[in-house]
Each structure stands twice: as structure tokens, then as C-alpha cells.
Amino acid sequence: TVVNERIAEEAQALGVLTNRADRPDDGDFIVPATAHQGPVTISVHTSGISSAAAASIRNELVNALDPAWPKALEIVAPYRPLIQQRFAGNAKQRVERLVKLTDSHAFQLDKTEGPDALKRYCETLASHAG
């Protein structure tokens, strides 16, 4: 619309970033439909076709997310920097251990045996002997 165009032009002249909901390609940034569940962020954008569709898709994804994922990620979070530090000189072991922190085995261990079992597993991965 004329009003949106004028506002965008004035903002640009002032060096202010704009989001153009009516014409996303003419804006400086986009705002996707976003949801946070603990350390998990789900974000959906439809290239300006429909913010309502983006919100619906986001909600579907949020509802499909196993609630155990955010909890498990919060448990393993402190072990990531430990592994990065302890295996800084061995890229292969560092990567293998970081992957194992959040692989299906770790996730299932948390779901079937609980958070203490997952913590013990992470401690093993973070140790030089693990």
C-alpha cells in the first residue's frame, strides 16, 4: 500500500531496518513463526505467502515434538563444552562424542532409564576413558 511504501522509504532514509509484511522481498529482514521449548527453537517461514500458514505449520511441529527432547538437551548441555575442551586436540574423538551426546541411544536411555542414566552416559563420554 501507499502508506507501507512511504514508511519503508522514510525508514530506509533514516537507516532503520524494516519488515515488509506486504512485500517481504522489499524488507530488510523476515519474522518467521517461532516457538521455543527449552533449548529447542522451531521456526517456520513461508516466503511471505502466508503468516497464518507459517503459524499453523509451526504449531503442528510443536505438537509433534516429543517433550522429552528439550529435557534431554538440557541434561546434556553442560557436557558439550567439557567434551570440546577435553578433546580439543583430537577432532575425531571430539566429533564422535558430541554426536553421541544427542543420538538416538542417548535419547532412548533418558526415556527408558531416566535422567540419571543419561547423566552417567554423558559423564562417560566426557571422560578420557569413555
Side-chain angles (χ1 to χ4, degrees):
T1 68
V2 174
V3 173
N4 287 345
E5 188 64 34
R6 184 167 178 182
I7 291 170
E9 288 172 2
E10 288 181 24
Q12 185 178 25
L14 294 170
V16 175
L17 298 177
T18 60
N19 171 278
R20 292 288 305 260
D22 62 331
R23 293 191 354 225
D25 289 340
D26 291 340
D28 299 305
F29 63 95
I30 59 169
V31 180
T34 303
H36 303 278
Q37 291 194 359
V40 177
T41 300
I42 295 172
S43 196
V44 178
H45 189 265
T46 61
S47 298
I49 296 169
S50 173
S51 59
S56 293
I57 295 166
R58 176 208 53 213
N59 292 341
E60 285 184 35
L61 294 171
V62 166
N63 290 331
L65 180 67
D66 187 325
W69 268 117
K71 292 174 185 171
L73 290 171
E74 287 173 352
I75 291 168
V76 304
Y79 296 97
R80 182 177 169 79
L82 288 175
I83 291 171
Q84 289 174 322
Q85 179 185 17
R86 290 181 181 159
F87 298 93
N90 188 331
K92 183 178 185 237
Q93 277 197 16
R94 183 177 63 248
V95 170
E96 286 174 358
R97 290 166 190 253
L98 289 171
V99 168
K100 287 180 179 183
L101 274 179
T102 56
D103 68 7
S104 59
H105 172 73
F107 185 62
Q108 288 304 315
L109 186 64
D110 180 47
K111 287 182 76 169
T112 59
E113 297 182 37
D116 289 338
L118 179 56
K119 287 177 189 175
R120 286 191 300 274
Y121 177 68
C122 291
E123 288 166 7
T124 300
L125 290 173
S127 75
H128 285 287

